[in-house]
Amino acid sequence: MILFESFGFSKHGHISISATNISWTARHENTKVNPSLMGFFVADVPSFRSIWNDSMHDRTFCALTSRYVKILFKLDNLKPDSTYTGSIDIDEPNEYNLVFGNCQPEVKVTMHVHTEMYNLKDGEKDFLSAGKTPLPKLYFFLFLIYVAFFIVWVIACKNQMPRVEKIHIIMGALLLTKCLKMICASEDTTYVRKTGTPHGWDVAFYVFGFFKGIMLFTVIILIGTGWSILKPYLQEREKQVLKTVIPLQVLENIVYVVINETGPATRDWMTWNQLFLLIDIACCCVVFFPIIWSIRSLKEASKRDGKAAKNLEKLTLFKQFYIVVIVYLYFTRIVVSAIGAFLNYRFAWLITVLEEGASLVFYGFIFYNFQPTEKNPYLVINDEEEENAAAQIMEENDDDPFEL
């Protein structure tokens, strides 16, 4: 069974399929070909799971004979090198899989296939799955939010110009790429909804998504190292982290494009998905090293320079940053995926809401806590506060969870 696509249908769903240059050949000379055992069918997702389980446990089982499937066409009425065009209406709303079934593994089938799956709304075709129709407006709303975010950041940097560091400029560039990615996502889904194809907006989406991914992990690492906040340089081990993460992000974005532009019918598609997950987890793990190194450095510095109160403030902020990064990466990589596995197809847009909502909160935390601010020259820390801070740091050192 070759899965072509999954699609959420409303009450007035429609599937059109066109297959050209259909041909089949037996892998062995003595094989008798039965074209009625090869063809296209649709099945709702719960039924497809049952069909898949039956095929795994019964080697004689043929999906085309299952009571769960709706047959589009079989090859028994066709001659080699012929063409077929047909369609089917979906009257029962559900998420369906379009599948090609070949119950003769010893027979090789070749063809060019073009499919159209859409819902009819007020007489117009809607090529977005039933659970994804709110996405164009949602992405455009997020674009407006990030534009406002970017404007506020520019104003904040302008007002504190003498205290603006290189990291603040990079953070502004991150916001800009995020804005561009959101507007491209909005246009992409808008054109797909109306015409079925993105008209080139997918390319722009991938490009800005590529730069956004690299910029995000770069910002996390640079903040984690304390670069231009605690120190004006990067140590060699911190440079190695950057040299590791940036190529991984490049590779991850290439794999992401391959996954989205091919589909489950492509050979090794699941392998590409597993590779994407592996690279993403590797990037998430690597970014923790600089944060932990900065926390340990601040603790050691507080023992040497006698500025325990000031170091305690920085130490608390970096510990919060460490926890927020963990929560953000865990939520967007694991929790959202777990929710998506159990979510009804009609609420698929909620996955985007959860991911982008978490991203917005994460960005807000970073940009608020690491913005260019004016230091109060009249702030005086008395001896009692200094002693209390030193005692607190020493107490934390006795049971330190940030050892690496």
Side-chain angles (χ1 to χ4, degrees), residues 131 134-135 138-139 141-142 331-332 336 343 347-361:
L135 289 183
L138 176 61
Y139 282 128
F141 178 67
L142 288 166
F331 182 82
T332 54
V336 171
L343 200 63
F347 303 103
W349 57 273
L350 279 176
I351 299 299
T352 303
V353 171
L354 292 173
E355 288 181 345
E356 295 301 333
S359 296
L360 187 58
V361 172

Side-chain angles (χ1 to χ4, degrees), residues 360-379:
L360 187 58
V361 172
F362 180 67
Y363 281 41
F365 173 85
I366 291 178
F367 282 76
Y368 177 78
N369 285 283
F370 296 96
Q371 62 179 307
T373 55
E374 184 177 1
K375 303 299 181 182
N376 188 346
Y378 302 103
L379 179 61

Side-chain angles (χ1 to χ4, degrees), residues 208-220:
F208 292 118
F210 167 76
F211 286 112
K212 192 279 299 180
I214 291 179
M215 295 292 291
L216 176 60
F217 277 90
T218 300
V219 166
I220 292 175

Side-chain angles (χ1 to χ4, degrees), residues 262-289:
T262 52
T266 306
R267 181 178 295 178
D268 299 326
W269 188 75
M270 286 303 299
T271 303
W272 284 107
N273 277 270
Q274 293 166 354
L275 179 61
F276 176 82
L277 181 62
L278 180 63
I279 298 172
D280 196 45
I281 291 175
C283 287
C284 294
C285 292
V286 169
V287 298
F288 293 130
F289 285 84

Side-chain angles (χ1 to χ4, degrees), residues 35-97:
S36 65
L37 297 179
M38 299 178 288
F40 283 88
F41 67 87
V42 292
D44 60 70
V45 171
S47 298
F48 184 72
R49 295 193 188 104
S50 300
I51 295 170
W52 186 266
N53 288 333
D54 290 341
S55 67
M56 295 296 291
H57 294 94
D58 184 359
R59 299 187 65 180
T60 62
F61 174 79
C62 181
L64 294 169
T65 63
S66 173
R67 59 189 177 92
Y68 297 115
V69 306
K70 293 182 180 180
I71 302 294
L72 281 169
F73 72 92
K74 296 181 180 180
L75 303 189
D76 53 346
N77 297 323
L78 301 175
K79 296 180 180 179
D81 297 322
S82 60
T83 301
Y84 174 86
T85 301
S87 62
I88 186 174
D89 293 325
I90 304 295
D91 299 321
E92 300 178 8
N94 208 331
E95 185 177 18
Y96 287 83
N97 289 336

Side-chain angles (χ1 to χ4, degrees), residues 83-380:
T83 301
Y84 174 86
T85 301
S87 62
I88 186 174
D89 293 325
I90 304 295
D91 299 321
E92 300 178 8
N94 208 331
E95 185 177 18
Y96 287 83
N97 289 336
L98 174 63
V99 185
F100 176 77
N102 180 6
C103 297
Q104 293 182 296
E106 65 276 8
V107 178
K108 180 182 178 181
V109 184
T110 305
M111 69 185 81
H112 294 282
V113 182
H114 175 79
T115 63
E116 286 188 3
M117 289 180 279
Y118 55 86
N119 295 303
L120 288 174
K121 293 185 178 180
D122 300 325
E124 296 184 354
K125 296 179 180 179
D126 184 348
F127 290 94
L128 279 182
S129 181
K132 298 181 179 180
T133 50
L135 289 183
K137 293 181 179 179
L138 176 61
Y139 282 128
F140 186 74
F141 178 67
L142 288 166
F143 164 71
L144 295 178
I145 291 177
Y146 280 104
V147 166
F149 200 157
F150 178 72
I151 293 173
V152 170
W153 182 252
V154 171
I155 294 173
C157 290
K158 186 177 180 180
N159 292 338
Q160 299 290 338
M161 187 61 72
R163 297 160 192 86
V164 172
E165 305 288 350
K166 292 179 181 178
I167 185 65
H168 299 126
I169 298 174
I170 297 176
M171 291 166 72
L174 170 61
L175 277 182
L176 183 59
T177 55
K178 184 70 174 180
C179 290
L180 294 172
K181 180 185 176 183
M182 289 296 100
I183 190 62
C184 290
S186 177
E187 291 298 318
D188 184 334
T189 50
T190 298
Y191 275 98
V192 169
R193 181 179 182 180
K194 293 179 179 179
T195 67
T197 57
H199 290 266
W201 282 101
D202 55 337
V203 177
F205 173 78
Y206 293 138
V207 169
F208 292 118
F210 167 76
F211 286 112
K212 192 279 299 180
I214 291 179
M215 295 292 291
L216 176 60
F217 277 90
T218 300
V219 166
I220 292 175
I221 291 172
L222 291 178
I223 290 178
T225 61
W227 178 73
S228 80
I229 297 175
L230 298 180
K231 57 189 179 184
Y233 60 89
L234 289 175
Q235 296 178 356
E236 186 59 34
R237 64 180 182 180
E238 295 164 346
K239 292 178 182 178
Q240 291 300 323
V241 172
L242 273 177
K243 291 177 182 178
T244 301
V245 168
I246 291 177
L248 284 176
Q249 276 295 298
V250 173
L251 182 59
E252 180 179 349
N253 280 273
I254 293 173
V255 173
Y256 179 77
V257 173
V258 172
I259 292 171
N260 282 273
E261 292 300 311
T262 52
T266 306
R267 181 178 295 178
D268 299 326
W269 188 75
M270 286 303 299
T271 303
W272 284 107
N273 277 270
Q274 293 166 354
L275 179 61
F276 176 82
L277 181 62
L278 180 63
I279 298 172
D280 196 45
I281 291 175
C283 287
C284 294
C285 292
V286 169
V287 298
F288 293 130
F289 285 84
I291 307 175
I292 296 176
W293 291 335
S294 293
I295 292 173
R296 292 179 60 189
S297 297
L298 284 169
K299 288 184 176 181
E300 293 170 359
S302 63
K303 300 175 185 178
R304 297 192 303 266
D305 57 18
K307 298 178 181 179
K310 187 178 292 186
N311 286 326
L312 178 60
E313 181 182 355
K314 295 177 182 177
L315 187 60
T316 302
L317 178 58
F318 272 83
K319 284 185 176 181
Q320 290 174 351
F321 178 62
Y322 175 80
I323 294 171
V324 169
V325 170
I326 288 179
V327 172
Y328 169 69
L329 295 177
Y330 180 81
F331 182 82
T332 54
R333 269 65 178 177
I334 299 177
V335 175
V336 171
S337 298
I339 294 173
F342 296 98
L343 200 63
N344 188 282
Y345 76 98
R346 292 173 295 179
F347 303 103
W349 57 273
L350 279 176
I351 299 299
T352 303
V353 171
L354 292 173
E355 288 181 345
E356 295 301 333
S359 296
L360 187 58
V361 172
F362 180 67
Y363 281 41
F365 173 85
I366 291 178
F367 282 76
Y368 177 78
N369 285 283
F370 296 96
Q371 62 179 307
T373 55
E374 184 177 1
K375 303 299 181 182
N376 188 346
Y378 302 103
L379 179 61
V380 178

